[in-house]
Amino acid sequence: MTAGAHGKIEPGTGPVEYGSSPKYVVTADEGYHIADVVADGTSLGAVPDVTFSNVAKAHTLSATFAIDLPSGENVGQQ
């Protein structure tokens, strides 16, 4: 599990029991939001959690975060 700057994934890394279905919660720091979550190389979008069902192999999970813009501002606005 890899969380980029300004957020976290919990419960974090570590082994899980074979056949279990662990849930991972993605949380952005204050002033930021989830930009993207990628599970096993596939983008899931800005989802707040991911569950790997019936685990039988290793999985990867990463998240990136972006700063919140003040109200009324758009990305790329000058």
Side-chain angles (χ1 to χ4, degrees):
M1 308 309 139
T2 305
H6 308 294
K8 61 186 172 187
I9 300 174
E10 293 182 308
T13 62
V16 298
E17 187 174 327
Y18 182 88
S20 66
S21 296
K23 179 180 180 178
Y24 296 91
V25 177
V26 181
T27 308
D29 292 343
E30 187 174 334
Y32 292 82
H33 62 274
I34 301 166
D36 194 23
V37 175
V38 177
D40 295 331
T42 300
S43 173
L44 305 177
V47 298
D49 58 69
V50 175
T51 300
F52 291 108
S53 299
N54 196 24
V55 172
K57 63 176 186 161
H59 291 279
T60 61
L61 183 65
S62 64
T64 55
F65 305 91
I67 194 166
D68 292 339
L69 296 174
S71 295
E73 287 191 30
N74 294 314
V75 173
Q77 184 179 27
Q78 297 193 17

